Amino acid sequence: MAMAYIEPAPIKDKENPLESMMSRFDAAARLLGISDEMYDILKVPARQVIVGLPVTMDNGAIKVFEGYRVIHSNILGPAKGGIRLDPAVNLDEVRALAAWMTWKCAVVDIPYGGAKGGIACNPRDMSAGEIERLIRQYTVAMLDVIGPDRDIPAPDMGTGPREMAWIVDEYSKAKGMTVNNVVTGKPLVLGGSLGRTEATGRGVTVAALSAMDKLRMNPYRATAAVQGFGNVGSFAAELLHERGVTVVAISDISGGYYNASGIDITAAVTYRNGNKGTLEGFSGAEKISNEELLSLAVDVLVPAAKEDVITDDNAASIQARMIVEGANGPTSASADEIINSKGILVVPDILANAGGVTVSYFEWVQNRIGYKWTLDRINRRADRVMKDAFDRVFETSQRYQVPLRLAAYIVAIDKVSSTYKFRGGY
Ligand code: NAD
């Protein structure tokens, strides 16, 4: 079952993740007219750490892995960002992802800077014991980097609650007391938060409903297609359906499933859960391809699977009235212009899928006050954060006459740069 919680991860644009993000950042910085000095302050990461991690493997041999942690900015508060285990992890990628976290936290107005970490390894080829020793080594190597008031890691590709629990344990041993708010995305019993698993899909739904409201679209008359039926996509589909939207198509790696009168999402979730996490063989719909799903004439298209699914190759065929980016980087920078020229409203990833990092922030807050909030309180507060962020970005897009994506970057850059001016420092 693909239910793992993964905190905001990549802008993975095949063209080049760093350049893709920076082109959007540059455009927003130009529109805001920030000074060259401020531009450099926002561009250059505050701290970049590379460590060598010797780990005793199960066969007794010692293997040395390379680990990274980049704090892009701590202007708004302690830095926040996941740790990924992947053979392709490198400093450049971690740097781009750390900057991207800065903008995402700023857009939803949570008091965090941006960071990211990674270890170049292939967790699929490693035993649980090897991964545990690696994570513990990484924690020790990063003792003076991470911390509840400095830099708070979270799960990302290849890590989850299990790894977060090991970090809490190793960090707590070094400090001589339990410090569970050194990371978020923990198991519930160790200070994890209720509502965190569904938080991103829920935030996507709030963003979609807010956008529908602006377009005077009645959810009860609207249709949606959701690509990806994992953590983000299935919760988004379920909640959109709950709010009256007819979800006519869903999909996963096995292909797309279409039903003009609406898919029974609860049945689809139950089917997937009993079918090794895949929709393969789901009978409540007609089989279509993922490519066909993207070009359906629906009101709302939610790409919630992976990066780079809407590119300059297929952007012209998109017929949706709006795209709400559940995934990170589903629209490549080269497709932006085509989509905009068609008048399609795009709620960008740094806004639409920020519900996850928002509830991570709530996890940290609850740990700090030593109290657990009810699910109801968490949902209400997270919905408010998402709604306010949407309104802020929408208002900015009207003021600057720019698409929501650029407006989101403007909101974020403006927030970080004006905070820096208040704090002083140059
Ligand atoms: P997941 O692994 O739970 O689910 C991914 C889903 O996409 C699965 O249903 C999978 O079958 C499907 N998929 C994979 N390749 C596909 C393809 N080529 N075509 C169609 N479907 C395909 O992952 P997730 O946590 O739901 O994350 C999805 C996206 O959302 C990623 O881009 C992730 O970075 C982003 N995101 C996730 C969170 C979170 O809280 N989980 C937060 C922010 C952003």
Side-chain angles (χ1 to χ4, degrees):
M1 220 198 328
M3 280 292 89
Y5 169 79
I6 300 179
E7 206 168 85
I11 269 229
K12 270 234 175 175
D13 192 319
K14 280 180 205 117
E15 290 153 12
N16 184 325
L18 184 61
E19 273 172 22
S20 157
M21 196 251 304
M22 287 314 293
S23 71
R24 289 154 172 171
F25 167 82
D26 283 354
R30 261 197 312 277
L31 276 168
L32 267 172
I34 63 168
S35 67
D36 290 349
E37 289 94 339
M38 185 58 81
Y39 179 85
D40 287 342
I41 289 164
L42 297 182
K43 198 169 167 175
V44 181
R47 193 168 185 188
Q48 305 178 58
V49 182
I50 305 178
V51 290
L53 305 168
V55 173
T56 306
M57 306 305 277
D58 290 347
N59 65 6
I62 291 178
K63 197 169 164 187
V64 183
F65 297 88
E66 201 158 85
Y68 311 91
R69 188 78 188 163
V70 173
I71 294 179
H72 169 256
S73 167
N74 44 22
I75 293 170
L76 296 185
K80 185 93 189 82
I83 298 172
R84 55 173 48 187
L85 306 185
D86 188 68
V89 165
N90 60 67
L91 187 63
D92 241 9
E93 177 183 80
V94 175
R95 246 197 314 239
L97 299 175
W100 193 64
M101 282 301 294
T102 302
W103 314 133
K104 185 174 255 189
C105 293
V107 165
V108 282
D109 200 20
I110 57 180
Y112 282 149
K116 204 79 187 185
I119 307 172
C121 68
N122 189 349
R124 282 170 296 277
D125 289 348
M126 296 168 71
S127 69
E130 289 170 341
I131 296 175
E132 175 173 355
R133 292 192 288 280
L134 176 61
I135 290 289
R136 288 186 185 277
Q137 280 287 60
Y138 181 85
T139 309
V140 171
M142 296 294 175
L143 275 178
D144 66 339
V145 180
I146 62 173
D149 295 307
R150 257 198 304 237
D151 172 25
I152 308 135
D156 195 286
M157 201 191 286
T159 57
R162 180 182 73 165
E163 285 73 18
M164 296 306 110
W166 289 331
I167 296 176
V168 167
D169 187 59
E170 201 61 39
Y171 190 85
S172 298
K173 277 197 289 198
K175 300 293 169 189
M177 59 186 168
T178 297
V179 188
N180 59 6
N181 57 345
V182 63
V183 291
T184 61
K186 299 178 288 287
L188 264 181
V189 288
L190 197 62
S193 178
L194 291 169
R196 196 198 57 223
T197 309
E198 61 272 36
T200 305
R202 192 177 169 90
V204 167
T205 307
V206 174
L209 291 168
S210 307
M212 288 163 89
D213 187 46
K214 297 289 180 199
L215 295 188
R216 299 191 186 288
M217 220 185 252
N218 178 349
Y220 286 89
R221 295 220 184 107
T223 54
V226 180
Q227 184 188 51
F229 208 63
N231 177 285
V232 181
S234 65
F235 281 115
E238 213 166 1
L239 293 166
L240 281 169
H241 171 73
E242 236 177 75
R243 297 299 195 93
V245 177
T246 307
V247 181
V248 295
I250 54 174
S251 78
D252 67 5
I253 192 78
S254 71
Y257 302 83
Y258 175 78
N259 184 336
S261 36
I263 307 248
D264 181 343
I265 303 297
T266 314
V269 169
T270 309
Y271 182 82
R272 177 205 61 190
N273 292 352
N275 193 40
K276 299 200 179 99
T278 146
L279 288 168
E280 179 78 69
F282 177 61
S283 58
E286 170 197 333
K287 191 86 193 270
I288 57 171
S289 69
N290 262 294
E291 206 44 51
E292 284 169 314
L293 177 140
L294 292 174
S295 55
L296 288 173
V298 286
D299 294 304
V300 185
L301 174 63
V302 181
K306 59 193 278 280
E307 70 285 351
D308 266 337
V309 293
I310 301 170
T311 64
D312 49 0
D313 286 339
N314 63 356
S317 68
I318 308 277
Q319 299 187 67
R321 288 176 67 193
M322 74 168 75
I323 297 172
V324 184
E325 296 185 335
N328 284 317
T331 313
S332 72
S334 61
D336 275 355
E337 212 172 303
I338 306 170
I339 296 289
N340 293 338
S341 70
K342 289 171 68 102
I344 299 169
L345 186 77
V346 180
V347 187
D349 47 11
I350 57 169
L351 169 62
N353 68 30
V357 74
T358 301
V359 176
S360 284
Y361 163 58
F362 291 167
E363 177 177 332
W364 179 80
V365 171
Q366 291 171 80
N367 295 158
R368 285 172 82 94
I369 58 178
Y371 187 73
K372 261 188 185 301
W373 292 346
T374 61
L375 180 60
D376 187 48
R377 169 173 288 198
I378 289 161
N379 285 343
R380 267 188 289 115
R381 292 188 172 183
D383 289 356
R384 169 57 46 205
V385 167
M386 289 303 295
K387 176 81 176 64
D388 287 350
F390 180 89
D391 288 346
R392 240 182 340 265
V393 171
F394 191 84
E395 191 266 319
T396 306
S397 84
Q398 304 256 295
R399 183 147 41 96
Y400 284 84
Q401 291 295 302
V402 293
L404 293 181
R405 189 187 308 284
L406 208 46
Y409 276 92
I410 291 176
V411 167
I413 294 169
D414 191 30
K415 172 133 209 255
V416 180
S417 61
S418 49
T419 307
Y420 190 85
K421 281 185 201 148
F422 274 114
R423 292 183 66 157
Y426 78 93

